Structure formats: structure tokens, C-alpha cells
Amino acid sequence: MTRVSLVCSLHSIALWTLCWVSGEETAITAQYGKDVTLTCIFPSKFKISFHRLSITWTKEGAQGQGLLVHRFYLKMNWREGQEEAYRGRTQLYPQEFPQGNASLRLSDVRLQDEGSYLCNVSCELGSWSQKISLIVLSTVPLPVPR
Ligand SMILES: *[C@@H]1O[C@H](CO)[C@@H](O)[C@H](O)[C@H]1NC(C)=O
Ligand SMILES: *[C@@H]1O[C@H](CO)[C@@H](O)[C@H](O)[C@H]1NC(C)=O
């Protein structure tokens, strides 16, 4: 009996940590046409089972809805429901997950990529999320004086 309640209380501590601690909103600047890494670092002091780990990146749409940028679960990347505009341009780094790194690589940055992103990490212990705002700088090439 003692053992059961200990397991339960440890479980609720872990739940509390993952559910209530959410990352600070950060801003990342990207150059038009280049690649960018949207940084998302989640608390990983509790051993999270890789099998149950789910990482979802969404972008806030015009009506406040979440547009699917990238989804990873059951140890795989899933294309279903992914926004057309992000197809083939996103990548996660599974080898970094055990260190609590769910950063997303976005290639060939477009002006429309600018906006607010949400990195959502969930597992059997609860979920954790962080907002990242992306600013895209476009440098219009000036004519070279002759
Ligand atoms: C997260 O992983 C990416 C890809 O390997 C790496 O570039 C970045 O430095 C990592 N961030 C941290 C804080 O470890
Ligand atoms: C993150 O994902 C979990 C599981 O899908 C969900 O319950 C939770 O509401 C999501 N959090 C946010 C902030 O979207």
C-alpha cells in the first residue's frame, strides 16, 4: 500500500510540473529565403517515455486557430493535416528529445511564415507548451551603383 501511494504522489508531482510550467514567450528573427531553428526547450528532468512522446508545432492562423506545422508521435513524423505551405520544409531532431529539445528547423523561410507558433510537448505525465514568435526580415537588394 505504501508503495502504491508513493508512486501516485510522484506521478502527481510530475503532472504538476508538466502541466503548470510553461515556457516564456520568445521571439526569433529569420532572414527571408534562409533556414531558421525555432527553439523549444521543455523540462526533461522526469524520464519521459519516447514511445508516448508527442510533439506538435502549430502556427496561429488569422482566426486564432492552430494551423498544423509539424507533428511527431509514436516515434514518427506525420504528414496528415499538415498545412500545405509547410510541406517538406520542417524537421525535428529526435536525437535531441531526451535532452528536452523539441526545436523545429524551418527551411526556405517565406514572408507568410511570420507569426506566432506554439510548441506543444505531451506525454503520459501531461503537457507543456511554449509560444515562439517568428519575425521574417526581407532585404530588398538595392541596385548596385555603376
Ligand atoms: C537543439 O537542437 C538543435 C538541433 O540539433 C541544436 O541546433 C540546438 O543548439 C539545440 N538547442 C539546445 C538549447 O540544446
Ligand atoms: C497540448 O497537447 C495536449 C495533448 O494533445 C492538449 O491536451 C493540450 O491542450 C495542448 N496544449 C495547448 C496549449 O494547446
Side-chain angles (χ1 to χ4, degrees), residues 32 40 46 55 62 75 92 102 104 124 128 130 138 146:
Y32 172 78
C40 175
F46 295 99
I55 295 171
K75 308 200 295 188
L92 293 177
L104 179 88
E124 64 267 42
W128 182 90
Q130 183 176 5
S138 85
R146 280 159 206 268

Side-chain angles (χ1 to χ4, degrees), residues 26 28 36-42 54-60 66-72 77 81-83 86 90-93 97 101-106 115-121 128 130-134:
T26 58
I28 292 172
V36 69
T37 300
L38 301 182
T39 307
C40 175
I41 307 298
F42 62 93
S54 155
I55 295 171
T56 308
W57 275 88
T58 50
K59 181 179 191 271
E60 195 175 276
L67 307 173
L68 188 62
V69 174
H70 197 106
R71 175 175 285 154
F72 177 96
N77 296 294
Q82 186 187 37
E83 279 301 305
Y86 291 100
T90 58
Q91 192 199 336
L92 293 177
Y93 300 93
F97 297 167
N101 185 346
S103 300
L104 179 88
R105 186 79 174 160
L106 181 62
S116 186
Y117 290 78
L118 187 77
C119 165
N120 184 343
V121 178
W128 182 90
Q130 183 176 5
K131 262 190 170 177
I132 296 104
S133 55
L134 178 68

